[in-house]
Amino acid sequence: MLHNDPTRRALRLLSLLQSRRRWGGAELAARLGVTERTVRRDIERLRDIGYPVQATPGADGGYRLSAGTSLPPLVFDDDEAVAVAVGLRAASGVAISGVEQAAVQALAKIEQVLPKRLRGRVSALDDSLVSLRRSRGDHEIVDPAVLVALAAACRDHEEVHFYYPRSEGDHLRRWVEPHQLLSAGSRWYLVAWDLGRDDWRTFRLDRLREVELAHARFMPREIPGGDAAAYFAASVVSLTPGMEVVVEVGAPYAKVAETLGATAHLVVEEAAGSCVLRLRGGGPEHLVEAVARLAVRAPVRVVAPDDVIAAVAALAGNLAGGGSS
């Protein structure tokens, strides 16, 4: 069992310390199924092999894994650590489903313990990569440091403030409780409770300016519907101008989600082998393109509106005509 195996227990303890900024001794003991005295001995074992675990005394004290003078042994050497950190920063900006968020989470962990002497090397290499990405003009670039800070704030339930543009063109200071980071297409978004507006809001990360941690904790709120991704999808659809189309897809949403890319959409209904989606775009042509991408993966029937139904039928006719001899 875990509490009888010091090696397994130490690995579990290390994993817990990496997952959150601070743990109380009683919390760790409860998670590991041991006494607080055993936790203290295991903390000493981690320190002996190079992991910089700090202890804070008092009623609000606890343990945290912090940056040290050297990397923990048997993990990475300096060159490997730099390569991993730069690679994760680059991966955080790619448009591959699931990779961006995993990269940010991993980057937040490694930069938490990265020695200061290596951070300059990481920044210098990443600046070169960012310049290259900007020259391609693919999308707005989000500073990896902002991603890491917001990921940590979401994890640790720490308030954040920043400046965000208004419709008038100026920037307004916003004070929020960050809930979750989400990626859609090539952009990053933050779902957060806006303390100034007393409501949930979605923010584009490339528009944030002067992001700072407020060093104030909060109790997480229940997001509408209980799911940040669903709330985000609904908010994007409601804010995206243009017309809507409702489609029935003969496949689960998970199978066709990647084909929609940055198209604003909302899952209306989902069954084991099908789903009903509501898409929004600038006009019939844009929506027909989205329907066509869906049709590459699964059967699709446009339910409404009539002009999109007609446009899809015309596309089908053109494809059939193009294939005839």
Side-chain angles (χ1 to χ4, degrees):
M1 296 180 65
L2 177 62
H3 63 274
N4 291 329
D5 187 333
T7 301
R8 290 180 58 198
R9 196 172 63 238
L11 290 174
R12 174 61 177 156
L13 174 60
L14 180 59
S15 178
L16 290 172
L17 290 170
Q18 289 179 330
S19 68
R20 212 168 76 186
R21 183 182 293 272
R22 190 192 69 84
W23 286 88
E27 290 179 287
L28 290 173
R31 289 293 189 99
L32 298 171
V34 297
T35 65
E36 291 189 51
R37 182 179 179 182
T38 300
V39 169
R40 288 193 294 270
R41 287 203 303 264
D42 289 342
I43 291 291
E44 288 302 322
R45 290 191 183 99
L46 290 178
R47 289 170 175 162
D48 288 342
I49 60 175
Y51 287 95
V53 183
Q54 289 185 348
T56 305
D60 295 326
Y63 300 97
R64 65 187 294 264
L65 191 64
S66 63
T69 57
S70 62
L71 284 170
L74 304 179
V75 181
F76 301 115
D77 63 23
D78 287 2
D79 290 338
E80 290 170 339
V82 170
V84 169
V86 171
L88 288 171
R89 287 190 178 201
S92 67
V94 301
I96 302 174
S97 178
V99 170
E100 318 96 313
Q101 290 168 337
V104 170
Q105 291 166 1
L107 183 58
K109 286 183 178 180
I110 194 171
E111 291 208 351
Q112 181 179 341
V113 295
L114 194 67
K116 290 183 179 179
R117 70 174 185 278
L118 300 184
R119 296 187 183 190
R121 291 172 58 187
V122 171
S123 297
L125 287 170
D126 186 66
D127 286 345
S128 299
L129 291 175
V130 169
S131 298
L132 178 60
R133 292 197 294 268
R134 282 204 178 102
S135 69
R136 289 161 45 196
D138 290 345
H139 54 271
E140 294 290 339
I141 300 298
V142 177
D143 186 347
V146 172
L147 277 173
V148 170
L150 291 175
C154 292
R155 178 194 65 197
D156 298 331
H157 307 142
E158 184 173 349
E159 293 177 8
V160 175
H161 49 84
F162 49 79
Y163 286 91
Y164 200 72
R166 297 194 296 181
S167 56
E168 294 85 353
D170 59 341
H171 288 69
L172 182 67
R173 190 177 181 84
R174 311 292 281 268
W175 198 288
V176 306
E177 296 175 352
H179 182 81
Q180 188 169 337
L181 290 173
L182 295 167
S183 61
S186 59
R187 290 196 176 106
W188 280 93
Y189 297 85
L190 172 68
V191 177
W193 177 265
D194 192 319
L195 293 166
R197 286 161 173 74
D198 200 31
D199 199 4
W200 290 97
R201 290 290 189 272
T202 301
F203 302 94
R204 269 181 53 177
L205 262 61
D206 59 286
R207 295 180 177 175
L208 270 58
R209 299 292 181 268
E210 299 182 33
V211 178
E212 295 182 3
L213 301 178
H215 304 295
R217 300 297 176 87
F218 62 89
M219 289 295 294
R221 303 171 190 264
E222 182 70 23
I223 195 166
D227 182 78
Y231 171 80
F232 167 75
S235 65
V236 169
V237 168
S238 65
L239 293 173
T240 302
M243 64 186 304
E244 289 185 358
V245 59
V246 178
V247 296
E248 295 178 349
V249 183
Y253 172 69
K255 181 179 178 180
V256 298
E258 287 186 17
T259 66
L260 292 170
T263 300
H265 64 280
L266 179 65
V267 180
V268 178
E269 184 179 331
E270 187 169 12
S274 64
C275 60
V276 177
L277 307 177
R278 182 156 59 98
L279 316 179
R280 177 169 287 193
E285 289 186 358
H286 173 80
L287 292 172
V288 168
E289 291 176 1
V291 172
R293 290 197 301 271
L294 286 169
V296 171
R297 291 286 184 90
V300 178
R301 184 176 79 86
V302 180
V303 178
D306 291 340
D307 49 355
V308 176
I309 294 175
V312 170
L315 173 62
N318 289 339
L319 290 172
S324 61
S325 57

